[in-house]
Amino acid sequence: MKETNRTNILLVEMLVVILFFMLAATTIVELYASARQKSIHARTVNSAMLVAEDLTERFYDRQDETAELTAFGFVYDSETGKWVLEKEDYVMTAQVQETAKEAGMLRTILLKAERKDQVLLEIPSSRYLPGEVSP
Amino acid sequence: MSEKKGVRLPARRIQNVFVLLLLAIFAGSSILLTAMGAGLYRDTVAHSDRNNSERILAAIVRGAAHSEDAGTAMVERFDEFGIVSLTFINDYDGEIYYRRLFCSDGALRESYTSAEYEFTPDLGDILFPAAAFEPQLDGSLLTARITTMEGTTQEVSVCLRAGGATP
């Protein structure tokens, strides 16, 4: 009888411990998932940022942004009027806007990286292209 | 009495086995959780290291190019050492100085010497661990392929705004 009681007490103890363990495990797994998501997010932002920085430098150097975008693997989407680059972790779009100024053209290329409807970064790259000025 | 014992014995055994089973589940789950945590920590640190290496190496090249591009930039090849160097030439009061960025012995190095001295890779200061560094110049566009110690290769483009480049 004593032995049975002891076993029952041990059983209850074990069940209580496992219950607490499950609660702790749920919290820890949630934290793991959150840490993993943050790690993936950081990696994606880093990757997108490196591509965007490269592109802005190239836009600054070269006149023909279309050739640069094509060389990077961007594809023109005629429906949205944007250039789209689909990467494994994110999608980068480039939108070219030209604004006529008094003595030239202000060309702005807006680079935007998105991942699952979440905007990772937005980098505008502007360049003033002087036009011909009548004397 | 003996019949009672005969009935109770298997029930107690089952209870004991059940307790042991619970203990085994507890131990197994603890190990699984610890292993998951360790794996995740390792992955996170590895990704963080890789991101840091990529960003630091890109920042070093961009910083060097932007701070020195008032001078002349050129790509030098030292076949005797198997080194390709990104070199910025500056003239200070008539004396020519070479600032070289190159990869040697598992590190991106920098040397800053007067033109009077010959290039010696060992004298270069270590900036950051890197496996390879291959600069290229196309007009005023500098493109450097950098391989980190983690094995990832990235391309860094820098427009030399202030000065010019010697192909």
Side-chain angles (χ1 to χ4, degrees), chain A residues 50-65 67-69 71-72 109 111 125 127, chain B residues 62 136 138 140-145 155-161:
Chain A
L50 287 171
V51 170
E53 279 177 351
D54 249 30
L55 272 168
T56 49
E57 288 286 336
R58 284 176 171 270
F59 290 150
Y60 196 89
D61 185 69
R62 303 290 153 101
Q63 293 279 342
D64 186 8
E65 75 281 343
E68 291 303 321
L69 288 166
F72 258 80
I109 300 162
L111 292 167
S125 169
R127 187 174 182 187
Chain B
R62 288 213 166 94
Q136 275 185 333
D138 179 11
S140 57
L141 185 72
L142 162 69
T143 309
R145 278 175 70 83
E155 212 170 77
V156 177
S157 302
V158 187
C159 173
L160 303 172
R161 291 164 169 83

Side-chain angles (χ1 to χ4, degrees), chain B residues 3 19 46-48 50 54 70 74 81 87 119 126 136 164:
Chain B
E3 269 182 22
V19 168
H47 285 152
S48 174
R50 205 185 70 183
E54 286 178 358
M74 61 188 278
F81 303 115
T87 308
F119 173 63
I126 294 173
Q136 275 185 333

Side-chain angles (χ1 to χ4, degrees), chain A residues 1 3-4 7-8 10-11 14-15 17-18 21-22 24-25 28-29 31-33 35-36 39-40 42-47 49-50 53-58 60-62 68 72, chain B residues 8 12 15-16 18-19 22-26 29-30 33-34 36-38 40 43-44 47 50-52 54-55 58 62 66 138-141 143 154-161:
Chain A
M1 187 68 182
E3 267 186 40
T4 314
T7 315
N8 282 340
L10 189 63
L11 183 66
M14 283 302 296
L15 284 171
V17 166
I18 284 176
F21 177 81
M22 292 305 283
I28 289 169
V29 167
L31 281 173
Y32 286 172
R36 191 175 151 72
S39 170
I40 291 169
R43 189 182 61 200
T44 311
V45 170
N46 182 61
S47 170
M49 184 62 89
L50 287 171
E53 279 177 351
D54 249 30
L55 272 168
T56 49
E57 288 286 336
R58 284 176 171 270
Y60 196 89
D61 185 69
R62 303 290 153 101
E68 291 303 321
F72 258 80
Chain B
R8 275 181 184 177
R12 209 167 60 214
Q15 272 185 336
N16 285 340
F18 186 60
V19 168
L22 284 178
L23 192 70
I25 290 170
F26 176 73
S29 307
S30 303
L33 213 60
T34 311
M36 267 174 66
L40 188 83
D43 278 1
T44 308
H47 285 152
R50 205 185 70 183
N51 288 352
N52 281 344
E54 286 178 358
R55 293 216 56 79
R62 288 213 166 94
H66 285 150
D138 179 11
S140 57
L141 185 72
T143 309
Q154 59 166 330
E155 212 170 77
V156 177
S157 302
V158 187
C159 173
L160 303 172
R161 291 164 169 83

Side-chain angles (χ1 to χ4, degrees), chain B residues 49-50 53-54 57 103-108 128-132 146-153:
Chain B
D49 275 352
R50 205 185 70 183
S53 299
E54 286 178 358
L57 285 167
C103 189
S104 170
D105 285 339
L108 184 68
F128 199 77
I146 310 169
T147 307
T148 63
M149 292 306 278
E150 288 80 20
T152 55
T153 301

